[in-house]
Amino acid sequence: MKRKIIFWISGTIVALAGVILSRLLAPQLSGVFNKITLVCGYLLALAGIIVLAYACRPANLKPD
Amino acid sequence: MSGADFLNLFQGIATMVSGDPLITAGRIMLIIAGITLVFLGAKGTLEPLIMIPMGMGMASVNAAVLYLSATTTGTIFIDPMVSDPAKLFDALQINFLQPIYTFTFSNGLIACLLFLGIGVITDIGYIMMAPFKGMLIAIFAELGTILTFPLAVWIGLTYKEAAAISVVGGADGPMVLFTSLILAKDLFVPITIVAYLYLSLTYGGYPYLIRLMVPKRLRGIKMDLKNIPKISRMEKITFSVITSTILCLLFPVAAPLFMSFFLGVIIKESGVKRFLEFLEGPVLYGATFFLGLLLGVLCEASTILNPKVMNLLILGIFALLLSGIGGILGGYVLYFATKGKFNPVIGIAGVSCIPTTAKVAQKEIQKVNHRAIILPYAMGASVSGVITTAIIAGIFVTILR
């Protein structure tokens, strides 16, 4: 149960960090930095969603 | 009886030959194409749910041109280009499909209704059982979307038009409709028609791509079904709520679609029987029916005969072909990463087109190995494909709008 909560919380935090990068930080930057931050934000949010999905896997299951 | 009198007996024939010969030829071709679609749909060669109403609409609208005034011709089906409020009000009272078009199609509501219905028939647990594999395949299966964009720009389309046509590579009809309505309103009719026409062809075309790219020996690989984790309803609901909120925060423009899809998923998992029956029956099939019919009716020759349509036809098939190839390549990456324990055919399911591509993959595998069941993994890749397509469409809309 504790393991699952860690996945739920960390996944949400990673995804929200992605949102912050792409929606808050990227607009403040310009040129290449803007695009890099935007793409990193999207990827981080996607990674967060994948981490969230891992919360539902039993602990004894082999890694996906 | 003179020739003119004879033509006036059937006003549709008189109006057909009265205008530009190119439009006349286009109308005749579209009538034939419409009739063909109806028969291919009824036979099951193409997706009947879309093709029968679409073909019927296409044949009828091109045969039903009449004189609206002494000098102008048109139909009483629909006027897709009307924007002036006074003219729109007239059109709403005259054209029989105008209310459905204006209040559900041009504002994207029909795409949201379809997504609600798709959400209700989707088991999100398929993503959660193997999230990395599903997402990896889905990202590979966006190859067509990613490569078609620069090609379309190179051919001469604007960035917005290029983005709208490249989303066809995601093989998600409602998403194409939504993106083209926002980014390329002038081309959304041909783009959406191209998308739905090709999506119905995936059922017939992708099996050949699978046979070409995956040898028989690999097609028969059995997947491990014993270690599939059991995911509770509450876990699925929590995942859906958090994912939907994050995607809405990221892409507010595509938020109606995300909300619709995940709301459907949550209603399914909550087991609210009345909503479930309503969404998976009347809403999903009603929206599909009117989508098909409206797409057909929008195929009036003067609307569809746009010089850019030929480019769109080529780009659409290119996008879907590349996405299929990309998906299978993703399947191969997992095949090698798992040392031969992953069936590469599952890769084709990453081209979302839910649930068609997953069914195609299962069907092709069972032709080689009757005992091989891959549907849970294929559905996971397919649902992941919906999410990755939505993310790419969201990126396009956010950056280019």
Side-chain angles (χ1 to χ4, degrees):
Chain A
M1 190 63 197
K2 195 179 165 190
R3 180 190 151 274
K4 284 193 175 188
I5 289 172
I6 290 170
F7 271 108
W8 283 117
I9 293 172
S10 56
T12 309
I13 290 171
V14 171
L16 284 176
V19 172
I20 290 167
L21 272 187
S22 57
R23 301 279 299 161
L24 295 180
L25 193 60
Q28 306 296 326
L29 303 169
S30 58
V32 180
F33 292 111
N34 167 279
K35 288 186 173 57
I36 291 172
T37 316
L38 200 64
V39 172
C40 286
Y42 290 142
L43 291 177
L44 208 57
L46 191 63
I49 292 170
I50 294 175
V51 174
L52 276 176
Y54 269 103
C56 306
R57 293 167 64 82
N60 58 354
L61 207 69
K62 287 177 205 163
D64 173 33
Chain B
M1 184 187 255
S2 70
D5 291 337
F6 178 75
L7 287 176
N8 282 329
L9 278 177
F10 300 99
Q11 213 196 84
I13 297 175
T15 47
M16 188 176 282
V17 295
S18 67
D20 183 350
L22 185 70
I23 298 285
T24 305
R27 281 203 181 111
I28 293 167
M29 279 177 64
L30 286 166
I31 290 171
I32 295 167
I35 294 168
T36 312
L37 289 182
V38 171
F39 280 103
L40 290 177
K43 243 179 98 180
T45 313
L46 298 180
E47 175 59 70
L49 292 176
I50 289 280
M51 287 305 144
I52 293 176
M54 185 173 161
M56 203 55 203
M58 200 189 277
S60 306
V61 78
N62 284 289
V65 179
L66 68 154
Y67 282 108
L68 295 177
S69 68
T71 52
T72 56
T73 57
T75 71
I76 52 167
F77 282 70
I78 201 167
D79 186 351
M81 298 306 171
V82 65
S83 55
D84 177 55
K87 285 182 183 167
L88 177 62
F89 197 72
D90 286 343
L92 283 167
Q93 294 180 80
I94 296 166
N95 299 326
F96 87 109
L97 281 172
Q98 194 75 40
I100 295 172
Y101 175 78
T102 304
F103 297 124
T104 71
F105 213 78
S106 54
N107 57 8
L109 172 63
I110 206 158
C112 294
L113 294 178
L114 281 169
F115 256 54
L116 255 174
I118 292 170
V120 162
I121 58 166
T122 299
D123 188 345
I124 202 82
Y126 288 133
I127 296 188
M128 298 165 80
M129 61 175 241
F132 179 72
K133 285 175 185 157
M135 283 291 179
L136 185 82
I137 287 176
I139 291 167
F140 268 89
E142 296 295 344
L143 187 71
T145 314
I146 294 161
L147 293 186
T148 305
F149 179 71
L151 183 75
V153 173
W154 183 68
I155 280 179
L157 297 186
T158 65
Y159 284 117
K160 288 182 180 181
E161 290 166 351
I165 187 66
S166 60
V167 174
V168 173
D172 195 331
M175 199 59 76
V176 176
L177 175 69
F178 190 80
T179 317
S180 55
L181 268 169
I182 292 175
L183 292 180
K185 201 154 188 176
D186 292 344
L187 283 182
F188 98 89
V189 175
I191 288 175
T192 315
I193 289 162
V194 165
Y196 274 96
L197 200 60
Y198 286 153
L199 291 187
S200 67
L201 291 176
T202 58
Y203 203 72
Y206 275 165
Y208 293 101
L209 186 67
I210 292 170
R211 285 172 222 163
L212 190 74
M213 287 187 70
V214 187
K216 217 172 177 179
R217 178 175 59 85
L218 301 186
R219 266 182 270 155
I221 293 173
K222 278 167 74 174
M223 295 294 295
D224 175 24
L225 297 177
K226 285 178 191 161
N227 281 323
I228 289 182
K230 284 199 168 56
I231 296 157
S232 70
R233 288 192 307 127
M234 281 317 289
E235 284 174 330
K236 290 180 191 175
I237 291 171
T238 312
F239 177 78
S240 302
V241 171
I242 297 176
T243 306
S244 175
T245 310
I246 287 165
L247 292 175
C248 289
L249 279 168
L250 272 182
F251 311 110
V253 179
L257 282 182
F258 294 130
M259 189 217 67
S260 305
F261 177 72
F262 286 106
L263 178 61
V265 171
I266 291 166
I267 285 171
K268 174 194 162 77
E269 296 305 333
S270 307
V272 189
K273 200 180 158 197
R274 300 289 177 214
F275 281 172
L276 211 60
E277 286 170 353
F278 172 62
L279 292 176
E280 71 182 356
V283 170
L284 180 58
Y285 292 109
T288 308
F289 174 79
F290 280 111
L291 176 73
L293 186 60
L294 279 167
L295 284 176
V297 165
L298 287 167
C299 286
E300 207 257 314
S302 48
T303 312
I304 201 89
L305 286 181
N306 184 318
K308 286 183 176 172
V309 169
M310 190 49 75
N311 287 342
L312 298 179
L313 281 167
I314 296 165
L315 289 167
I317 197 98
F318 179 77
L320 275 177
L321 181 69
L322 275 183
S323 289
I325 293 171
I328 293 178
L329 289 178
Y332 269 115
V333 169
L334 286 173
Y335 167 78
F336 289 115
T338 56
K339 292 173 186 159
K341 287 178 188 161
F342 192 89
N343 193 322
V345 176
I346 296 169
I348 201 81
V351 188
S352 58
C353 202
I354 194 165
T356 309
T357 45
K359 280 195 218 164
V360 166
Q362 179 62 54
K363 212 170 149 188
E364 281 306 301
I365 285 165
Q366 275 195 317
K367 277 181 187 168
V368 182
N369 183 351
H370 290 289
R371 290 180 186 173
I373 306 285
I374 51 97
L375 205 58
Y377 289 93
M379 282 301 290
S382 212
V383 180
S384 301
V386 174
I387 294 178
T388 50
T389 306
I391 290 175
I392 291 186
I395 292 173
F396 278 143
V397 169
T398 308
I399 294 174
L400 298 171
R401 195 187 189 195

